[in-house]
Every structure is written in C-alpha cells, then in structure tokens.
C-alpha cells in the first residue's frame, strides 16, 4: 500500500501511462482497470477530478467490496486489483492498483483496451490477436501459408 504522500505525488504528476483519475467509480473505471491489466499495470484514483482536484468519494460499509466484486464479474479473465482508501485533505479517495496481467488480453464485457499515453485505446480485432500471440510468444512467421 502506498501512503497518502505517495498518492499525492501521483496526483501532482497528473494522468499518464500508469495513472488515471476518476471522479466516481463507473464503467470507464473498469475499462481503465482492463487497459492497465493489458499494458504495464497502473493506478486508478477514484475521487479525483480529471484536473487533479481531490473531491473524495462517499463510501459505505461495503462499498470497496462491491466495487471489487463489480470488477471481478466485469472482467475476463478475472482481474482482482488491490483496492484501498487513502485520506488526502480530510477527503477519502479510493486507490485501485492493477498489476499487468500475465495472460492477455483481458476484456470488460467483450471490449478490449490498452493504455496509450494518458488514455484508453479500444483494441481492434487484429490488435487483440497480436496481444494474444505476444502473450504466448507466437508469431505469424511460425505458421505455413496454405
């Protein structure tokens, strides 16, 4: 787990290849989890505006468990990120830390994403195939043309 000072440094650095801000937990947050899993991993900070303003989020007793369950049921293969809260300026933000997934590609409800710079890129069929082949160290050169 990272400290509030570590998270504040991430916020100060802005969004990028491995950091995404989300004002609230929604479908786009799950898509970002998938994009990070299909790339090099990263951190989604829920409760932070796109401009880096810490607004915080309202959390119930089971909120984190519900969000984790939503991520698990929305991803295939199942992604289980580390999820925890950090208090910054007396406001709670949620940190969703995603590791690079070893077997790619991961999808969310049939859509595949990769992280490109500071945004999520939806993969085309040819890109999905290439990601899959790279995971298993395959190459089209290893197949004979009919």
């Amino acid at each position: 787990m990272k400290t509030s000072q570590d998270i504040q440094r991430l916020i100060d650095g802005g969004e990028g290849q491995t950091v995404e801000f989300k004002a609230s937990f929604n479908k786009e947050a799950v898509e970002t989890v998938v994009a990070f899993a299909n790339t090099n991993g990263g951190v989604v900070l829920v409760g932070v505006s796109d401009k880096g303003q810490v607004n915080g989020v309202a959390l119930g007793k089971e909120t984190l468990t519900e969000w984790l369950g939503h991520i698990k049921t929305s991803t295939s293969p199942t992604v289980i990120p580390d999820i925890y809260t950090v208090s910054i300026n007396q406001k709670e933000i949620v940190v969703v830390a995603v590791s690079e997934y070893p077997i790619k590609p991961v999808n969310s409800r049939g859509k595949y994403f990769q992280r490109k710079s500071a945004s999520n890129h939806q993969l085309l069929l040819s890109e999905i195939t290439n990601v899959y082949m790279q995971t298993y160290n395959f190459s089209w050169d290893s197949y004979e043309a009919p």
Side-chain angles (χ1 to χ4, degrees):
M1 288 218 265
K2 295 188 178 209
T3 66
S4 58
Q5 292 86 6
D6 294 333
I7 301 303
Q8 185 62 59
R9 279 193 285 278
L10 288 176
I11 294 169
D12 293 343
E15 292 183 313
Q17 181 71 27
T18 59
V19 178
E20 176 75 12
F21 303 152
K22 292 292 178 196
S24 61
F25 183 80
N26 53 25
K27 180 179 90 167
E28 288 79 21
V30 177
E31 290 173 354
T32 302
V33 167
V34 167
F36 285 151
N38 283 330
T39 315
N40 298 316
V43 177
V44 181
L45 301 176
V46 182
V48 180
S49 75
D50 284 340
K51 296 183 181 190
Q53 182 177 347
V54 176
N55 298 322
V57 289
L59 298 172
K61 187 176 179 182
E62 297 294 321
T63 302
L64 296 184
T65 303
E66 290 170 6
W67 290 3
L68 184 59
H70 184 73
I71 293 169
K72 287 170 55 177
T73 60
S74 299
T75 57
S76 179
T78 300
V79 175
I80 304 174
D82 290 331
I83 186 168
Y84 55 93
T85 61
V86 172
S87 182
I88 295 180
N89 301 329
Q90 290 84 38
K91 296 178 182 173
E92 291 296 313
I93 65 166
V94 177
V95 178
V96 182
V98 184
S99 297
E100 179 177 1
Y101 206 79
I103 300 170
K104 298 176 190 132
V106 175
N107 74 79
S108 174
R109 305 206 186 273
K111 293 182 179 179
Y112 297 81
F113 299 90
Q114 270 190 331
R115 191 71 174 177
K116 305 278 185 185
S117 189
S119 64
N120 299 330
H121 167 71
Q122 187 170 351
L123 298 177
L124 303 170
L125 183 57
S126 61
E127 293 171 313
I128 294 168
T129 304
N130 286 336
V131 169
Y132 175 80
M133 292 181 76
Q134 288 171 0
T135 296
Y136 292 101
N137 292 320
F138 289 148
S139 167
W140 287 116
D141 295 336
S142 62
Y143 294 99
E144 261 187 59

